[in-house]
Amino acid sequence: MTRRFLVVLGLCCVLAGTACDAPAEPVPTPVLPTRRTPAPASAPAKVLDPAAVGDGVRKILLESFRIADVDGVTCPAGQPVVIGRAFACTAEIGGTAKRIPITVLGTDGRYRVDPPG
């Protein structure tokens, strides 16, 4: 900061055509107090609502896959909303438990439902 001040002062003197003397002592720059702040804690991960996902999966099985005898769908709790995250729900279809693969597609909670396996 002091060096820049001296260069600017020298340029001003040259442009003005006058003799300039550098200040006898450097001009002190104020020292601002600093505070060490801790790194922010990571934001809590968003998780999917298992009941809402189950309802959505049931609707997709009935309407898109045209499976008529879907009795219930259960999905695991605590599934993070992370793109590419894969997990499975379980659906009762015709009295038999079937695995339904789910893949998270977006951070907004969109997911893909694959056919029962």
Side-chain angles (χ1 to χ4, degrees):
M1 184 84 155
T2 303
R3 188 177 299 169
R4 183 177 291 159
F5 174 74
L6 293 175
V7 170
V8 171
L9 180 64
L11 287 175
C12 291
C13 294
V14 169
L15 293 175
T18 60
C20 298
D21 291 325
E25 293 184 29
V27 177
T29 56
V31 177
L32 301 174
T34 59
R35 186 182 332 167
R36 183 180 286 273
T37 55
S42 60
K46 292 190 322 185
V47 294
L48 294 170
D49 177 356
V53 174
D55 291 343
V57 170
R58 185 174 190 285
K59 183 176 179 178
I60 290 170
L61 291 175
L62 292 169
E63 296 175 7
S64 296
F65 293 123
R66 302 203 186 278
I67 300 172
D69 51 352
V70 179
D71 290 325
V73 178
T74 57
C75 297
Q79 296 302 312
V81 180
V82 175
I83 296 172
R85 171 72 177 186
F87 61 96
C89 294
T90 303
E92 288 290 325
I93 300 174
T96 305
K98 298 282 187 172
R99 182 178 181 279
I100 312 297
I102 310 294
T103 305
V104 177
L105 299 177
T107 57
D108 59 354
R110 287 178 297 119
Y111 54 90
R112 181 183 71 227
V113 177
D114 290 325

